[in-house]
Amino acid sequence: MIALVGLLGCLESPPQYADAVPERRWTGSFELGRAGQSLAVGRFGSEASARIAVLAPHLTYPEGGPTDPARVYVVPARAVGTLLEDVADGVILADSPGIEADCRCLVALPDGDSDALGITTSLESYVMRSPLDGTASMADADVTVEYMPYDEVAELGGTSRSLAGSTSRLDVSFLRALLRLDQPDGAVRPVATDFAITNNAIDDFNPIGTRMIRLGDRLALSTYHPSQPVSSVALLPDDASSWEDAIQWTSQGWHIEALRSGDLDGDGSEDLVVSDGTGTVFILTDLTTPGTLDGAAATRIVTTEPGARFGRDVAVVDLDHDGQDDLVVAAPMADRQLERMGTPPGRFLVYRGPFEARDYDWREADRVVFDVESEPNDVFATTFAVGDVDEDGQDELVVGSSVWGPGQVGMVAWYDDLL
């Protein structure tokens, strides 16, 4: 323990640094399947009970190798077993070529007493309504939205929508249609989506959306410019009529890794949490003034280990059930020097809210969690999802590790009582 604390730095109160035993844990079955690349928690299935949707995108093999389609497993949260293929009561065969290597493209969409599952690729967006039992294909989707140049027509729920607009900027009506923000009452509506998309509703010289979430009655999305090392986060009101209505914050990171919302400073209002791939996590509390992420952030959590991939994903969840949101940050490549000491690489770090308006060193975490079963080549904690997995009225943390296990089969686990 003395050696570990020494490696973590001289802190007045070093974080609790330990393995945490998950409530459930399942691994993939297919070589290069990478199960856990994207996750969603919802009341899927005919019984409308808590289930976890898990994407296994299946990387492309060299020519002549096996060509397994991507799969979305729908797993009962309390399922007992070790393999996703065995415990899933629903499997969606996702043979779309638009599922990309870094696609975080699953989301639970409230739909009456149950949830629908949104699946977004770089080519199309699908809505699969419950029940999600047995085997299905994305061709069976209730709603399919094709991404087209916005001088063409997209089909949305049987209604044609013209996406004509200026070719010099992203078309706001396209974004609102994609996330179904303006559908009639009773239609599927997202609450907090995290679509990873690259769409062709813009030309090569304009920013491209990669992460989208709802923030109250507003839409937050990230953009990056294909030809410049700059990215940004934009906040659009529901009634936005053009891109000029957006409040934007720019970053020097190539792209935004993660975008979440929650009350992190304890003032009762939602804040925006952004990770821009530079090893810094930003908490924005003033959402009315544009600028840079560095200048606008009330709070920054900064890593001192450049290769840790700190901020690969983030989650906002009340882990200690005190009514205050806490923050979880992935660092899947952290502390790899500890391998020779018998501690496997890969971490996620837990920070108890509320946060002060200051800079934090990343080692100020209240808990640092590794996976005792990981091997030296595994990458633990690459994606998160949050939801009431055990249906006790409190949210839990679901962790995906897509580059994990022999042949990168992937692994998913969910945790309770982390604080």
Side-chain angles (χ1 to χ4, degrees):
M1 179 59 74
I2 293 175
L4 286 175
V5 172
L7 283 170
L8 287 170
C10 298
L11 302 175
E12 292 184 5
S13 300
Q16 181 182 351
Y17 195 94
D19 173 48
V21 178
E23 301 295 321
R24 292 290 188 275
R25 159 197 206 101
W26 310 287
T27 61
S29 305
F30 296 91
E31 185 177 0
L32 294 181
R34 290 199 169 187
Q37 181 172 285
S38 183
L39 305 165
V41 178
R43 299 176 66 84
F44 309 125
S46 57
E47 298 178 359
S49 57
R51 283 168 166 78
I52 302 170
V54 180
L55 172 67
H58 290 265
L59 297 185
T60 303
Y61 283 82
E63 187 174 353
T67 55
D68 289 316
R71 288 170 167 78
V72 178
Y73 298 101
V74 183
V75 182
R78 290 288 189 182
V80 177
T82 58
L83 297 178
L84 286 166
E85 194 79 13
D86 295 337
V87 299
D89 58 9
V91 178
I92 301 169
L93 299 178
D95 52 3
S96 168
I99 293 182
E100 299 175 338
D102 191 33
C103 174
R104 289 180 231 171
C105 51
L106 303 183
V107 64
L109 302 172
D111 187 25
D113 294 331
S114 60
D115 291 308
L117 179 66
I119 306 172
T120 297
T121 76
S122 64
L123 302 178
E124 296 166 311
S125 180
Y126 305 84
V127 175
M128 312 285 293
R129 274 195 165 97
S130 297
L132 298 177
D133 305 319
T135 301
S137 166
M138 291 205 301
D140 301 322
D142 297 275
V143 177
T144 300
V145 182
E146 294 186 22
Y147 302 169
M148 300 179 179
Y150 51 56
D151 56 353
E152 300 180 20
V153 174
E155 294 289 331
L156 180 64
T159 302
S160 296
R161 174 183 297 279
S162 173
L163 300 180
S166 168
T167 57
S168 65
R169 60 181 59 87
L170 199 62
D171 187 353
V172 174
S173 67
F174 180 89
L175 295 173
R176 298 181 72 238
L178 177 65
L179 290 184
R180 304 173 62 80
L181 301 181
D182 53 359
Q183 294 307 293
D185 288 342
V188 172
R189 291 175 182 271
V191 174
T193 65
D194 188 5
F195 283 105
I197 69 165
T198 301
N199 67 65
N200 60 352
I202 52 178
D203 60 44
D204 290 339
F205 301 100
N206 287 288
I208 298 175
T210 55
R211 301 281 183 257
M212 299 185 188
I213 62 171
R214 286 298 305 274
L215 188 73
D217 61 355
R218 292 166 290 181
L219 171 67
L221 71 155
S222 67
T223 68
Y224 73 91
H225 198 292
S227 61
Q228 298 179 10
V230 64
S231 58
S232 66
V233 175
L235 192 60
L236 281 162
D238 262 4
D239 59 356
S241 59
S242 73
W243 192 245
E244 280 72 19
D245 293 328
I247 299 171
Q248 295 191 66
W249 300 275
T250 58
S251 162
Q252 290 306 305
W254 276 97
H255 69 286
I256 302 300
E257 290 264 35
L259 188 63
R260 304 291 185 193
S261 64
D263 180 13
L264 276 303
D265 60 358
D267 68 351
S269 299
E270 279 196 294
D271 309 311
L272 197 59
V273 184
V274 183
S275 170
D276 70 347
T278 63
T280 300
V281 174
F282 304 88
I283 301 177
L284 281 68
T285 58
D286 176 5
L287 303 182
T288 61
T289 306
T292 65
L293 285 177
D294 259 326
T299 302
R300 303 188 314 164
I301 307 174
V302 184
T303 182
T304 53
E305 187 179 334
R309 293 297 305 275
F310 181 75
R312 173 65 174 78
D313 200 2
V314 300
V316 178
V317 54
D318 180 9
L319 291 172
D320 53 4
H321 314 316
D322 64 351
Q324 169 62 54
D325 283 335
D326 307 305
L327 183 65
V328 185
V329 182
M333 303 295 286
D335 294 337
R336 300 191 73 85
Q337 71 270 25
L338 295 179
E339 294 173 28
R340 64 179 63 95
M341 298 177 60
T343 305
R347 307 282 181 265
F348 64 83
L349 297 89
V350 181
Y351 301 86
R352 193 190 306 270
F355 287 83
E356 300 172 359
R358 66 176 178 88
D359 282 359
Y360 288 74
D361 186 285
W362 72 313
R363 295 169 297 181
E364 293 183 62
D366 293 278
R367 189 167 192 185
V368 182
V369 178
F370 61 87
D371 179 64
V372 72
E373 295 188 29
S374 291
E375 297 294 336
N377 290 328
D378 293 338
V379 179
F380 173 64
T382 52
T383 52
F384 297 136
V386 171
D388 186 7
V389 174
D390 58 5
E391 298 182 289
D392 64 349
Q394 305 287 347
D395 285 340
E396 286 77 43
L397 179 72
V398 185
V399 179
S401 305
S402 57
V403 187
W404 191 96
Q408 299 181 11
V409 295
M411 183 267 287
V412 177
W414 65 269
Y415 297 81
D416 201 0
D417 299 323
L418 285 170
L419 284 178

